[in-house]
Amino acid sequence: EAGVAQSPRYKIIEKRQSVAFWCNPISGHATLYWYQQILGQGPKLLIQFQNNGVVDDSQLPKDRFSAERLKGVDSTLKIQPAKLEDSAVYLCASSLSGLYQETQYFGPGTRLLVL
Amino acid sequence: QQQVKQSPQSLIVQKGGISIINCAYENTAFDYFPWYQQFPGKGPALLIAIRPDVSEKKEGRFTISFNKSAKQFSLHIMDSQPGDSATYFCAASDSWGKLQFGAGTQVVVTP
């Protein structure tokens, strides 16, 4: 079974530029998550989708971050404009139905460096 | 505000030794406590999880101990192997299912 796919794996941009990350969840998984993992910290949930609807985006900095999951499969996370403090690994995860205590499967992440 | 506090930040253990990682929480609504293992360049992967109705859960060389009254839980890695060298994250969630992660512990197992 293929895992969660993410691209690109690495991205270097200058502050104020824009960047987009792509995620393809495990086939059949209805729930998709985007996490931000700053160096030395645990992952922090940015947004959770159930199919193509948003369940939780309470920690998404909406003035600069946006995410969509068209057709309830792939998802993109965009940052515009980027700030230095956005340097982090952006992890995508998926789960079968988003039910309580269900295992989340993580992708390898996209490492972003903002200069 | 970090809802799950994890210690130590890092630890070095000899092959065959025991690694112990501790976590503490304040939110009494948390009722699911998973541990994730992360290797460099990879995403976290679920290792083992416990619910507060049991005090201990063992899977192979990995054991979670849970103390509900103290609001603490820990991961014990018995007979540590070099392949166990990774970063370990504790986490907690309530009935809404949103995971709150600890800051992580980097474990290095020396040959």
Side-chain angles (χ1 to χ4, degrees):
Chain A
E1 178 183 81
V4 176
Q6 291 188 246
S7 67
R9 292 296 311 274
Y10 306 92
K11 192 73 177 179
I12 301 175
I13 61 172
E14 295 189 347
K15 60 183 180 183
R16 291 188 290 273
Q17 284 187 324
S18 63
V19 64
F21 313 127
W22 173 83
C23 172
N24 181 236
I26 293 174
S27 177
H29 279 196
T31 309
L32 185 146
Y33 312 80
W34 282 103
Y35 288 86
Q36 180 191 57
Q37 185 177 18
I38 293 173
L39 186 64
Q41 298 181 20
K44 182 184 83 172
L45 180 69
L46 292 176
I47 188 167
Q48 176 182 345
F49 291 95
Q50 184 71 17
N51 296 307
N52 59 351
V54 175
V55 174
D56 184 347
D57 63 357
S58 57
Q59 297 193 92
L60 187 74
K62 298 180 186 64
D63 57 334
R64 298 183 301 106
F65 286 65
S66 64
E68 60 182 11
R69 191 184 184 198
L70 300 176
K71 301 180 182 178
V73 182
D74 293 6
S75 177
T76 56
L77 176 69
K78 296 179 182 178
I79 308 175
Q80 182 179 12
K83 293 185 175 182
L84 296 178
E85 59 261 35
D86 298 332
S87 293
V89 175
Y90 290 85
L91 294 163
C92 179
S94 70
S95 65
L96 187 59
S97 56
L99 291 176
Y100 171 55
Q101 299 184 7
E102 194 173 63
T103 299
Q104 295 184 25
Y105 298 87
F106 285 81
T110 295
R111 186 175 297 273
L112 174 68
L113 179 60
V114 182
L115 302 176
Chain B
Q1 182 185 4
Q2 196 170 21
Q3 296 201 37
V4 180
K5 295 184 179 180
Q6 183 172 347
S7 63
Q9 258 187 319
S10 63
L11 68 92
I12 300 174
V13 61
Q14 283 193 330
K15 179 181 175 181
I18 302 173
S19 304
I20 302 174
I21 306 169
N22 300 299
C23 287
Y25 64 97
E26 288 296 326
N27 188 346
T28 54
F30 288 150
D31 60 0
Y32 176 62
F33 302 90
W35 285 87
Y36 282 80
Q37 179 187 54
Q38 185 175 30
F39 293 105
K42 305 288 186 182
L46 179 67
L47 184 64
I48 186 173
I50 196 169
R51 285 185 283 274
D53 53 344
V54 297
S55 60
E56 186 175 282
K57 182 174 181 179
K58 183 177 181 179
E59 289 185 2
R61 296 183 293 107
F62 300 90
T63 300
I64 302 178
S65 297
F66 187 84
N67 185 330
K68 188 173 181 178
S69 61
K71 291 184 284 187
Q72 295 176 348
F73 58 110
S74 61
L75 177 70
H76 295 231
I77 307 174
M78 313 300 287
D79 187 25
S80 297
Q81 299 296 311
D84 297 332
S85 296
T87 300
Y88 293 81
F89 293 94
C90 61
S93 73
D94 58 20
S95 58
W96 293 100
K98 181 177 175 179
L99 285 175
Q100 302 284 351
F101 284 86
T105 297
Q106 186 175 20
V107 173
V108 175
V109 181
T110 60

